Amino acid sequence: MEETLHNHNDHHHHHDHTISSLNRAFIAGIILNSLFVVIEFGVGLSFNSMGLLSDAGHNLSDVASLLLAMLAFRLAQVHSTSRYTYGYKKSTVLISLLNSAILLVAVGVIIFESLQRLFDPSPIEGGAVAWTAGVGVVINGITAWLFLKDKDRDLNVRGAFLHMAADALVSIGVLVSGLLITCTGRLWIDPVVGLLVALMIIASIWALLRDSLRLSLDGVPTQVHLDKISELMTSTPGVCGVHHLHVWAISTTENALTAHVVVEDILHSCGIKHELKKRLKASGVGHATLEFETIEEGSHCTDTGTVC
């Protein structure tokens, strides 16, 4: 009993430490990127650089994304109520979808402006562009590093990491374009880099958009495979079959499942339930609601599933 209590306290302490660490990461990332957006916009306007202005616009959308992700992160900690029995956990999915939409709008603006500059190039100070982009590499790299260790825990944290990592690569591209313009004087390099920025953003957010849309429609989370879940459940001793199997996301970090379980002996259902929940939790499903049936009851079911 004491060992169980000790393990529970260790888990609770680790959970609280993770929450505190992520909260600091979001705040630091928001402050760093807000300062850089101001600097980049100023330099981009002063030196008429589409590469810098497009990257600043993208970084501004990332600041908004970080703010929304932090909001989702905090809402996920709110306790359930009589009206919201899961609390506000689903807001994490909706905000992830909104962040993807914000980035798509930013991509559209970058492409439009870059195409205009490609056909109507303007003089650019390549050295200033390179120096500013160099600062961006450092800031975006530091921000991405803040989310590195927790990127697999949550879709919004993963989104923040991917955005910052992509931004670091984009800033490297802008830096290279600034150096090339300084050396060659070819102004078309700047809008071409703007278009490459747009392509890189699309590549970085495609999986995020797909997963967010899937979860918002209560689809099966990407990391959960329904066939394997069904096989895992039917291979549990005492289980004869499974049907009415549904899996969906409560939030970007928690999954739920409901199923009808056909058992050989209904008197052993309590022990079978504990074993099933233990196996499901190890497979990424923390909330499972199970209804047990006898073989005679299960044989009348017409829904998809496995029944002996």
Side-chain angles (χ1 to χ4, degrees):
M1 179 67 181
E2 288 181 1
E3 183 179 353
T4 302
L5 184 61
H6 177 70
N7 290 338
H8 173 76
N9 288 336
D10 283 348
H11 174 76
H12 183 70
H13 176 73
H14 175 72
H15 180 67
D16 287 346
H17 176 73
T18 301
I19 290 174
S20 178
S21 174
L22 275 174
N23 192 54
R24 288 195 300 269
F26 277 119
I27 292 172
I30 289 166
I31 292 172
L32 282 172
N33 282 271
S34 296
L35 289 172
F36 182 57
V37 165
V38 173
I39 295 170
E40 197 169 29
F41 262 126
V43 177
L45 287 172
S46 299
F47 294 97
N48 199 32
S49 168
M50 190 58 234
L52 283 179
L53 289 175
S54 63
D55 193 38
H58 176 219
N59 282 323
L60 181 61
S61 72
D62 278 346
V63 172
S65 296
L66 286 172
L67 284 166
L68 287 170
M70 186 173 72
L71 175 62
F73 177 69
R74 292 188 175 184
L75 285 174
Q77 314 305 320
V78 176
H79 296 296
S80 60
T81 66
S82 58
R83 285 189 176 273
Y84 296 92
T85 55
Y86 281 125
Y88 298 109
K89 295 180 185 297
K90 199 73 171 184
S91 65
T92 59
V93 175
L94 299 177
I95 286 176
S96 180
L97 184 61
L98 179 59
N99 275 335
S100 301
I102 289 172
L103 281 171
L104 284 177
V105 172
V107 167
V109 172
I110 291 170
I111 291 174
F112 177 76
E113 293 292 340
S114 295
L115 287 174
Q116 277 195 327
R117 292 295 181 93
L118 187 61
F119 295 107
D120 185 21
S122 303
I124 298 168
E125 176 55 54
V129 171
W131 276 107
T132 308
V135 175
V137 173
V138 175
I139 289 179
N140 290 320
I142 290 173
T143 309
W145 175 78
L146 291 173
F147 297 108
L148 177 62
K149 70 177 187 299
D150 295 307
K151 65 181 176 65
D152 295 324
R153 293 187 67 256
D154 181 272
L155 198 60
N156 280 299
V157 176
R158 190 178 87 191
F161 170 78
L162 288 175
H163 291 174
M164 294 301 107
D167 283 353
L169 292 176
V170 167
S171 294
I172 291 173
V174 175
L175 187 154
V176 171
S177 76
L179 294 176
L180 289 175
I181 290 170
T182 301
C183 295
T184 66
R186 298 186 180 183
L187 301 179
W188 57 264
I189 293 174
D190 185 59
V192 166
V193 168
L195 290 172
L196 290 175
V197 167
L199 291 176
M200 291 185 69
I201 296 169
I202 291 172
S204 69
I205 68 168
W206 180 252
L208 182 67
L209 177 62
R210 179 199 62 205
D211 293 346
S212 300
L213 188 58
R214 182 203 294 259
L215 296 188
S216 67
L217 295 174
D218 285 338
V220 178
T222 305
Q223 71 274 20
V224 176
H225 302 283
L226 209 59
D227 291 341
K228 291 184 179 180
I229 291 292
S230 179
E231 183 181 345
L232 177 145
M233 295 178 72
T234 53
S235 66
T236 302
V239 175
C240 189
V242 175
H243 58 90
H244 286 309
L245 178 61
H246 302 281
V247 182
W248 71 98
I250 298 174
S251 71
T252 51
T253 57
E254 298 177 77
N255 300 320
L257 172 150
T258 59
H260 288 209
V261 182
V262 182
V263 294
E264 297 172 355
D265 188 346
I266 201 73
L267 295 177
H268 295 154
S269 60
C270 185
I272 294 172
K273 177 182 71 175
H274 288 302
E275 179 63 22
L276 281 171
K277 290 197 172 188
K278 183 175 75 175
R279 291 188 176 198
L280 288 169
K281 188 171 184 179
S283 298
V285 180
H287 299 265
T289 303
L290 307 171
E291 181 175 335
F292 291 90
E293 301 173 349
T294 62
I295 295 176
E296 291 75 17
E297 290 174 312
S299 64
H300 296 297
C301 179
T302 58
D303 189 20
T304 56
T306 306
V307 179
C308 59

